Amino acid sequence: MNDKAALIQTISAIPYSDLRPPSVPLTCEINAASLVCLLGQQFSVINVYMQMLAGTNEPYTGSVNYADSLLNNSDKNDCPAIAYLYHNSALLSVLNGIDNVKVPALYHQLASTTQIDKEVYALVSEFEYGADHLILPAFMSTLQRRHLLIVRAIMLKPKILFIESPFSNLDRDQVRVFGQYLSGLVKNKNITVITSNANLDFVRSYADQVIYITTATVHVFNHWETFSDFING
């Protein structure tokens, strides 16, 4: 993993939850502009840790510390520095795709309507797969809805984007192109992307860090080779 400034540091942090058996402590550093994958045997366990890292749930014990750049975000019109997409996050059903993406930026008054329109179309066009973004969410594919949820989130220019199960219900080719898109958010926009339950081919190709979580242990790997040796050992 490259030597970049740490955005999140955890010290023996155990998430608050009703999981049984009890969760185990996590100690790690998550760097700026990195791609981090949380993997493990139970979806619910992994996402509890994700939510603790994002600050949506307080740690039961230990600490989760954030860089000053995340805490002092006044230059973003009070927009959060951390964006979180749950596995069941949804677009607004009564708005088309483009209008869905505009909503947070308009709410926070980030720019004029004309400027917001230009940015929306620019961001949407960065990932081309032949979709019509003027239709309602009910008529969209899973890939399109997931893409637009991400664009809606990055309109607020977060420094960290959490995504639960980004590849669920996507076919093999969609996983490949969507993985390239997520990697591009890190490389081209310097966004730290943290995912749960990622596809292993994606992890092998792009992950800077893997956090492997079970109900009994937590392991942090900074190289694919050491993680691969662990799961194949």
Side-chain angles (χ1 to χ4, degrees), residues 92-97 134-140:
L92 297 171
S93 62
V94 296
L95 296 180
N96 68 38
L134 295 177
I135 62 176
L136 295 175
F139 303 103
M140 295 178 184

Side-chain angles (χ1 to χ4, degrees), residues 115-135:
Q115 290 173 311
I116 289 173
D117 285 347
K118 289 181 179 178
E119 184 166 5
V120 166
Y121 280 99
L123 288 174
V124 166
S125 66
E126 290 176 355
F127 182 35
E128 288 290 351
Y129 47 99
D132 178 4
H133 298 306
L134 295 177
I135 62 176

Side-chain angles (χ1 to χ4, degrees), residues 48 75 91 112 119-120 189 215-216 218 220:
V48 167
D75 60 326
L91 297 169
S112 69
E119 184 166 5
V120 166
K189 299 185 182 301
T215 55
V218 174
V220 179

Side-chain angles (χ1 to χ4, degrees), residues 8-11 13-14 26 52-55 57-59 61-66:
I8 302 176
Q9 180 190 61
T10 71
I11 301 173
I14 296 178
L26 169 63
M52 179 184 71
L53 289 171
N57 289 338
E58 295 290 328
T61 61
S63 62
V64 179
N65 304 305
Y66 300 98

Side-chain angles (χ1 to χ4, degrees), residues 33-173:
S34 62
L35 201 153
V36 181
C37 298
L38 276 69
L39 304 175
Q41 299 170 339
Q42 293 188 27
F43 177 85
S44 58
V45 173
I46 297 168
N47 287 337
V48 167
Y49 281 88
M50 281 264 290
Q51 292 157 21
M52 179 184 71
L53 289 171
T56 60
N57 289 338
E58 295 290 328
Y60 180 68
T61 61
S63 62
V64 179
N65 304 305
Y66 300 98
D68 290 344
S69 60
L70 295 182
L71 300 176
N72 303 322
N73 210 41
S74 57
D75 60 326
K76 299 288 193 304
N77 289 8
D78 295 324
C79 297
I82 296 175
Y84 197 104
L85 297 180
Y86 293 88
H87 71 280
N88 58 354
S89 292
L91 297 169
L92 297 171
S93 62
V94 296
L95 296 180
N96 68 38
I98 294 295
D99 287 342
N100 257 285
V101 172
K102 293 179 187 178
V103 168
L106 291 171
Y107 174 81
H108 286 280
Q109 300 179 341
L110 296 187
S112 69
T113 301
T114 300
Q115 290 173 311
I116 289 173
D117 285 347
K118 289 181 179 178
E119 184 166 5
V120 166
Y121 280 99
L123 288 174
V124 166
S125 66
E126 290 176 355
F127 182 35
E128 288 290 351
Y129 47 99
D132 178 4
H133 298 306
L134 295 177
I135 62 176
L136 295 175
F139 303 103
M140 295 178 184
S141 67
T142 299
L143 176 64
Q144 184 179 8
R145 287 193 295 269
R146 201 156 292 157
H147 168 224
L148 294 180
L149 283 167
I150 290 174
V151 176
R152 187 173 71 179
I154 65 177
M155 279 292 294
L156 301 184
K157 298 178 174 56
K159 292 182 173 66
I160 304 179
L161 175 62
F162 287 83
I163 313 172
E164 291 184 358
S165 301
F167 302 110
S168 62
N169 300 316
L170 299 183
D171 64 32
R172 186 179 182 85
D173 188 57

Side-chain angles (χ1 to χ4, degrees), residues 200 203-205 207 210 221-229 231:
L200 281 182
V203 176
R204 180 187 299 107
S205 298
V210 176
F221 302 93
N222 294 327
H223 302 281
W224 164 260
E225 290 77 11
T226 53
F227 172 63
S228 179
D229 289 344
I231 59 176

